[in-house]
Amino acid sequence: MSTLLSDGGAVLTRQLQKARHAPGLLILTQTMPVTMLLFFGYVFGSALAMPASEYRQFLVPGLLAATAANGLMAGMFTAAQDAHRGVTDRFRTLPMSRSAVPLGQTAADLVTTGVSMVPLILVGLAMGWRAENGLPGALGAFGLLLLFRFATAWVGTYLGLLSRSEEAAGQLGGATFILPLLSSAYLPTAGLPGWLRTAAEWNPISAVATAVRVLCGNIGGGAAAGEAAAGAAWPVAHPVAGALLWSLVLLALSVPAATRRFARGRG
């Protein structure tokens, strides 16, 4: 365990130094969610039936959940880049724990994600969003978001190690933008057709977004309350338990799979 932690810490440091030398990427990851919040909150939100202030209370947790889900794309790109540039092969020749490299990569992603969520939260506060349940609820929501990000980063790492090229990983990772659209991140699912509502509510992002709304006290008597309405799928009807369960299932499946794939190589 000590070897795993020390080796993983070395990879974590390497990833953070790599990120420090790519300021453009850091700026993009921090400004894109804010840009989406401003666009959805003021442009798209004005076309909805619910009041703009109520929609922003609904939207901020959804965007935080979508940011956490982007660990899929980030993990995929990072793993594919290292694998196809020979970095992974060099790591594999070193006397280090086989799970240390993917652990360090996902841990570094977790650190940068925690930092990148701060501007989004600050802009949300400036737009009128509030964590109505106080600090304990906000901390619980933040911890749940980081757990889900960690899980999706491991899934992305496994897929990146499977990819045939950096370009293929980039194209597949870019296609994941549709996942938040098929969830309750941006819109309530209550008004969707039956089959589409079922698919959206079983999307893990819906459970995470609804859990953040519940923990922050943003589920009220208006349109947002439709996410916890009777008849909703189990992960949305029990959002905190559903989000935790989805995160743990993803970790249980992806951690051993990514570790085995890293150890085996691209052959």
Side-chain angles (χ1 to χ4, degrees):
M1 178 61 72
S2 60
T3 301
L4 172 62
L5 293 177
S6 61
D7 292 344
V11 177
L12 166 65
T13 302
R14 180 248 178 194
Q15 291 297 124
L16 292 178
Q17 290 176 343
K18 180 182 175 182
R20 186 168 60 88
H21 293 294
L25 182 60
L26 287 175
I27 293 172
L28 178 63
T29 57
Q30 296 201 18
T31 58
M32 183 59 70
V34 172
T35 302
M36 293 181 66
L37 174 59
L38 294 172
F39 176 79
F40 278 98
Y42 287 106
V43 179
F44 187 60
S46 63
L48 297 177
M50 72 177 76
S53 59
E54 183 180 327
Y55 179 63
R56 290 167 199 154
Q57 291 285 334
F58 179 89
L59 177 63
V60 173
L63 273 172
L64 288 170
T67 300
N70 280 341
L72 183 64
M73 179 171 60
M76 199 182 308
F77 181 75
T78 298
Q81 185 181 62
D82 283 352
H84 295 288
R85 295 185 182 184
V87 177
T88 299
D89 290 334
R90 290 195 291 272
F91 275 130
R92 198 177 289 112
T93 63
L94 297 176
M96 61 190 306
S97 170
R98 287 294 175 256
S99 56
V101 174
L103 175 62
Q105 290 174 339
T106 52
D109 175 78
L110 200 63
V111 173
T112 56
T113 299
V115 173
S116 68
M117 283 183 178
V118 173
L120 177 59
I121 293 172
L122 292 177
V123 174
L125 291 171
M127 292 174 62
W129 172 76
R130 294 292 184 271
E132 303 292 347
N133 285 344
L135 185 60
L139 291 177
F142 192 68
L144 187 60
L145 288 166
L146 293 182
L147 175 63
F148 186 60
R149 176 75 182 210
F150 192 54
T152 58
W154 271 100
V155 175
T157 297
Y158 174 63
L159 295 176
L161 291 171
L162 286 178
S163 66
R164 296 184 178 274
S165 66
E166 283 187 57
E167 292 75 16
Q171 292 170 358
L172 180 59
T176 61
F177 84 94
I178 198 172
L179 294 177
L181 298 176
L182 297 175
S183 74
S184 65
Y186 306 133
L187 290 171
T189 60
L192 296 176
W195 65 271
L196 185 57
R197 177 181 179 180
T198 299
E201 290 179 346
W202 280 99
N203 184 335
I205 301 173
S206 292
V208 176
T210 308
V212 173
R213 293 176 185 125
V214 169
L215 290 170
C216 291
N218 300 140
I219 296 287
E227 298 308 309
W234 188 88
V236 173
H238 307 84
V240 177
L244 286 172
L245 185 59
W246 269 121
S247 299
L248 294 177
V249 167
L250 292 176
L251 284 170
L253 294 175
S254 60
V255 171
T259 301
R260 285 194 302 268
R261 184 66 187 182
F262 172 82
R264 190 174 65 180
R266 287 185 288 154

